[in-house]
Amino acid sequence: MDLARTEVARGRSRRTGNAARLGLMAVPVAFFAVFFAYPVAAIVRRGLETDGAWRLGRIADVLGDPGIRHVLWFTTWQALASTALTLIVALPGAYVFARLDFPGRGLLRAVVTVPFVLPTVVVGTAFLALLGRGGLLDELWGVRLDTSVWAILLAHVFFNYAVVVRTVGGLWAGLDPRQEEAARVLGASPAAAWRKVTLPALAPAVAAAALMVFLFTFTSFGVVQILGGPGFATLEVEIYRQTSEIFDLSTAAVLTVVQFLAVGAVLAVHAWTVRRRESALRLVDASGTARRPRGAGQWALLAGVLATVVLLLLLPLAVLVQRSLDAPGLGYYRALTDTGDGTFLVAPVDAIGTSLSYALAATAIAVVIGGLAAAALARRDAGRLVRGFDALLMLPLGVSAVTVGFGFLIALDEPPLDLRQSWILVPLAQALVGVPFVVRTMLPVLRAVDVRLREAAAVLGAPPWRVWREVDLPLVRRALLIAAGFAFAVSLGEFGATVFIARPDNPTLPVAVARLLGRPGDLNYGRAMALSTILMVVCAVALLVLEKLRGTDRTGEL
């Protein structure tokens, strides 16, 4: 009789849980519908509709333009080249961090991740200081690589190095090394054992990392805007140009649709590779797989990876800091309090407080929306509708942030959603980018919670909100703090949407840096370096706090 009552209670709790899950999904769905789908649809409709009729022929006209075809070709080509170059440079690093144990490994791993959370404006500015006019290469050898494709490719490798190291390296650390050792015992050479045993196991992780790098570089904006010059433009940059400079909304709308379809396809393939990685592998405890380097080959590999980290990741940031200190007596930093040249309505230093307040508000929104979405997606018996919602949550990472920002201005301009003059508009746009990071951070932890704990609490009469407070929250508190840290860092550096909607008297740090770089004169250049350094330091501190909270990372997820 007691067993029957327990089963009935469990069945009731499952039904209650399903209803609660739908309730949890309602808020994120409404948020994305109003602040993502509606603005994007509004700008697409504004560009492709005339007098109530859709001008579908405009799509063929735009795609037939030789200039647009060149933009499409360059966007795809540079994304493929950036992805291949990133894999070549970063895969040795993934092996070193996964299999080799050496002093300072944890700190170096945190340093490697710093570029990923840096705003693209900072990355572009750092490489401008290294490769541009008056940069380090220009001073030493008279070589300039700014406004060249090599500057763009190197900056993309800098930005995405951590994606490969942490995604592939995390899985590599969890592979049982005895499988490869067994192949060696059976007579296989080291290269053959790696090719036939380890590489097939790593293939899903390599594919997932490659797809994410391709996605980030395909939608690159800040890096190309600063380093590319007039001769190079990605789809994102061209959408910005068509929208803000030429005011050709129909062309911008067509390019938005093209980018949306491409991003959707990449995300679909990425989701398939992630599911394959999760279901096809049997992993071991990653804490016991790393060993001290043995033999000249492993020591040489470690030295090569350390040299790569220093030259590719640390040198641009060091040059950025050095350029910000060129003026005697911290002159560029002291000049941040001056508005005399008319570039700003307020002193550039005020952008620091503005960015921090916006980022905190965006973090709060992202944690609430992302936390609710992760809780709704946590159960593994989710249906296709819920899994589809999971995929949709990733779209803001790939859809044009420029389109979202301009869509905010077009769509949210009349009651009851007339927000164009409201300060909350910027945090809302930044939160859209932060939500996917919150979901990806919290979801694995929530799925690891033993469902029997929830069922036991429900059997004892606890309502869903109390089950969450008493069972889930204590187990996911650290993941929640990590998710908040990621959302804060991402929000702080958001540029594509913010450049449209930030008010002239309240610029964020990335917008202020871009404005300074767009003005002539050494003073503006130096102030841009100083602001970029401040932004870099804030992001780096946030990341170091995240690493402290995270502890030993065994998932390989960013």
Side-chain angles (χ1 to χ4, degrees):
M1 182 66 69
D2 291 339
L3 181 60
R5 287 199 186 109
T6 301
E7 289 300 322
V8 170
R10 284 180 175 174
R12 188 184 301 114
S13 71
R14 291 191 185 98
R15 291 192 295 271
T16 303
N18 289 334
R21 181 166 59 188
L22 293 176
L24 291 172
M25 285 180 57
V27 176
V29 167
F31 178 81
F32 273 81
V34 174
F35 297 113
F36 179 68
Y38 177 48
V40 172
I43 194 171
V44 171
R45 180 178 179 182
R46 179 73 64 92
L48 296 181
E49 188 180 59
T50 302
D51 298 327
W54 286 88
R55 297 183 299 165
L56 298 181
R58 179 61 178 159
I59 297 177
D61 294 339
V62 171
L63 298 182
D65 185 289
I68 297 299
R69 287 205 304 269
H70 176 76
V71 169
L72 291 172
W73 173 85
F74 177 74
T75 301
T76 306
W77 178 87
Q78 64 83 26
L80 290 171
S82 297
T83 302
L85 192 58
T86 302
L87 290 175
I88 292 171
V89 173
L91 281 177
Y95 171 82
V96 165
F97 284 103
R99 292 299 199 206
L100 301 186
D101 186 19
F102 52 91
R105 177 169 171 251
L107 177 61
L108 189 64
R109 194 167 182 272
V111 169
V112 163
T113 312
V114 168
F116 181 74
V117 300
L118 287 181
T120 55
V121 169
V122 172
V123 176
T125 307
F127 274 82
L128 194 64
L130 178 64
L131 307 176
R133 178 181 60 84
L136 182 63
L137 292 186
D138 192 14
E139 288 183 353
L140 294 178
W141 298 295
V143 176
R144 288 182 55 187
L145 293 178
D146 62 325
T147 66
S148 74
V149 70
W150 278 109
I152 295 172
L153 295 181
L154 289 174
H156 283 163
V157 175
F158 169 93
F159 190 75
N160 293 290
Y161 186 88
V163 176
V164 177
V165 167
R166 301 197 66 146
T167 303
V168 179
L171 179 61
W172 209 332
L175 293 180
D176 191 344
R178 292 173 297 182
Q179 297 177 358
E180 189 171 331
E181 292 170 359
R184 296 279 304 279
V185 170
L186 294 175
S189 66
W194 184 85
R195 187 178 67 253
K196 295 181 179 180
V197 177
T198 304
L199 183 58
L202 288 176
V206 174
L211 286 168
M212 288 306 297
V213 173
F214 180 85
L215 178 64
F216 291 142
T217 53
F218 186 84
T219 58
S220 181
F221 176 59
V223 167
V224 180
Q225 181 79 347
I226 293 174
L227 296 176
F232 303 101
T234 57
L235 270 174
E236 189 88 350
V237 173
E238 185 64 19
I239 291 171
Y240 175 79
R241 190 175 74 89
Q242 294 289 340
T243 302
S244 63
E245 298 177 10
I246 303 178
F247 304 106
D248 187 350
L249 287 186
S250 62
T251 299
V254 171
L255 297 180
T256 297
V257 172
V258 171
Q259 182 165 305
F260 186 84
L261 293 176
V263 166
V266 172
L267 288 177
V269 177
H270 179 265
W272 177 79
T273 59
V274 169
R275 287 197 299 271
R276 181 184 170 192
R277 184 182 67 180
E278 291 177 345
S279 62
L281 297 173
R282 299 180 65 182
L283 306 180
V284 298
D285 184 1
S287 60
T289 59
R291 301 175 180 175
R292 298 282 292 180
R294 293 176 296 182
Q298 289 191 347
W299 281 107
L301 182 61
L302 176 59
V305 169
L306 292 177
T308 299
V309 171
V310 170
L311 294 177
L312 179 65
L313 305 186
L314 297 183
L315 182 60
L317 301 182
V319 173
L320 171 65
V321 175
Q322 186 268 326
R323 286 291 181 267
S324 74
L325 299 173
D326 272 352
L330 300 178
Y332 290 143
Y333 288 91
R334 288 190 286 109
L336 294 177
T337 62
D338 183 22
T339 61
D341 65 348
T343 304
F344 295 92
L345 297 179
V346 296
V349 71
D350 291 345
I352 300 173
T354 300
S355 284
L356 291 175
S357 59
Y358 283 164
L360 288 172
T363 299
I365 297 171
V367 166
V368 171
I369 300 300
L372 291 174
L377 295 167
R379 292 184 57 167
R380 294 186 177 274
D381 59 347
R384 289 185 178 180
L385 179 62
V386 176
R387 290 197 299 268
F389 175 61
D390 186 15
L392 289 175
L393 290 173
M394 295 291 290
L395 281 178
L397 292 181
V399 173
S400 169
V402 170
T403 299
V404 173
F406 197 67
F408 269 37
L409 294 181
I410 291 177
L412 307 180
D413 63 343
E414 57 185 6
L417 287 174
D418 187 1
L419 301 177
R420 284 187 300 176
Q421 301 302 317
S422 174
W423 67 272
I424 197 64
L425 200 62
V426 173
L428 286 171
Q430 294 174 343
L432 280 172
V433 184
V435 167
F437 287 91
V438 173
V439 174
R440 295 273 73 81
T441 302
M442 294 188 63
L443 191 55
V445 180
L446 284 170
R447 282 179 172 167
V449 176
D450 192 340
V451 69
R452 291 173 296 184
L453 296 176
R454 299 189 184 107
E455 292 176 347
V459 167
L460 294 174
W465 65 268
R466 188 171 181 183
V467 172
W468 161 256
R469 189 187 68 186
E470 301 292 342
V471 176
D472 292 77
L473 184 58
L475 297 173
V476 302
R477 184 178 290 114
R478 191 173 70 163
L480 185 63
L481 292 174
I482 293 172
F486 266 124
F488 177 80
V490 171
S491 300
L492 195 65
E494 204 287 321
F495 176 62
T498 307
V499 71
F500 270 99
I501 56 182
R503 295 168 56 178
D505 57 343
N506 281 303
T508 62
L509 278 170
V511 173
V513 170
R515 287 183 186 174
L516 287 169
L517 288 175
R519 303 278 293 187
D522 291 338
L523 177 62
N524 286 319
Y525 180 82
R527 291 197 296 175
M529 297 294 161
L531 270 185
S532 295
T533 300
I534 293 172
L535 186 52
M536 177 190 69
V537 170
V538 174
C539 290
V541 169
L543 178 68
L544 291 175
V545 173
L546 287 180
E547 288 294 324
K548 185 69 174 179
L549 290 171
R550 181 185 294 273
T552 302
D553 182 2
R554 299 179 184 176
T555 64
E557 298 296 335
L558 281 167

